[in-house]
Amino acid sequence: MTLNPWRLRLLSQLDALGTVRAVAQAANLSASSVSQQLAVLESETRTQLLERTGRRVRLTSAGLILARRARSILDQMDAVEAELRNLSQEPSGLIRLGAFQSSIHTLVVPALGQLGHPHLHVEILELEPHASMPALLSGDVDVIITTTDFVELPVPKDIDVVPLGEDPIVLVSPPGQPKNDLAACKDEPWAFDVPGSYMANLATRLCRQAGFEPRVAGRFSNYMLTLKHVEAGLAVAVLPALAVDRRFDVVTKELPVTRRITAAIRRDSRAAITAVLAALHTRSQSDER
């Protein structure tokens, strides 16, 4: 069975307007044409949709069900058509992009440098994963770069998530003092992110899984400060690989933990948001190659 949207619309209008004549006037058709199309719809569905009462017709119970289901179907089709029209428009306006620290210089800035839409402006806000999803839900940002692997908050149903790539988690130790695993660091001082942050929670969890409680020697919200602390021989740290700037003389060892980097948006297909997502995806794919 293939249902014709145009005929479904006529049936839905009959439910709303009450008479074939009114439907004909609304659709700029003759009454006989409307009746003929409704008869075809009955044939397509193999169901009696209309019944005569004197000189008028009314919907049967099956006709009422189909008419009201059709209204929902047609509304969805109209919404899809509107989305497709939006996609064809030139992206413009302001998009607020929240991204965690290590993704800004490696992913976000290069992607936006290739955006190529002169009337599209992107404002970047540094937001770690534990803070970015609430900001997206509240409308403070339009797009976030985040990871959902180690964040306790579930992804709401009205949020669309777009995979961008994977990033290993690494153990970072001073030059000349390489550490092969977390267990070897149980007596070392540690450099941590600020309390309650994504990386602080993850590092604490990994140390405890390795059988020890880390001794924290410093807390920094800036990865450059963490790397400087480790480079000076004052601590070891657990960081995402993206966060390790090669200008620092440190030793890294991949741990058997990987985070998935994703973009997330509220269900919104504005051309501007689609353009930003496309640029981020293109950049992430080029990094993988």
Side-chain angles (χ1 to χ4, degrees), residues 4 17 46 52-53 70-71 80 99 108 136 144 161 174 182 207 222 230 233 253-254:
N4 183 291
L17 301 176
R46 300 183 181 89
R52 287 201 167 274
T53 56
R71 193 169 300 137
V80 170
V108 175
L136 181 64
I144 59 173
V161 175
L182 288 173
C207 288
N222 186 300
V230 174
K253 174 69 174 181
E254 283 195 18

Side-chain angles (χ1 to χ4, degrees), residues 128-149:
E128 291 305 307
H130 68 282
S132 59
M133 187 63 75
L136 181 64
L137 292 171
S138 67
D140 292 336
V141 292
D142 304 296
V143 182
I144 59 173
I145 307 299
T146 188
T147 177
T148 57
D149 291 313

Side-chain angles (χ1 to χ4, degrees), residues 100 102 147 149-150 165-167 169 198 240 242 258-261:
F100 55 81
S102 59
T147 177
D149 291 313
F150 312 106
E166 294 189 347
D167 185 26
I169 302 299
Y198 157 75
L242 281 178
T258 300
R259 65 174 181 173
R260 290 167 293 182
I261 299 174

Side-chain angles (χ1 to χ4, degrees), residues 16 63 88 117-118 122 138-139 173 182 186 204 216 230 234:
S88 66
H117 298 290
V122 181
S138 67
S173 51
L182 288 173
K186 64 179 182 178
T204 300
V216 180
V230 174
L234 299 175

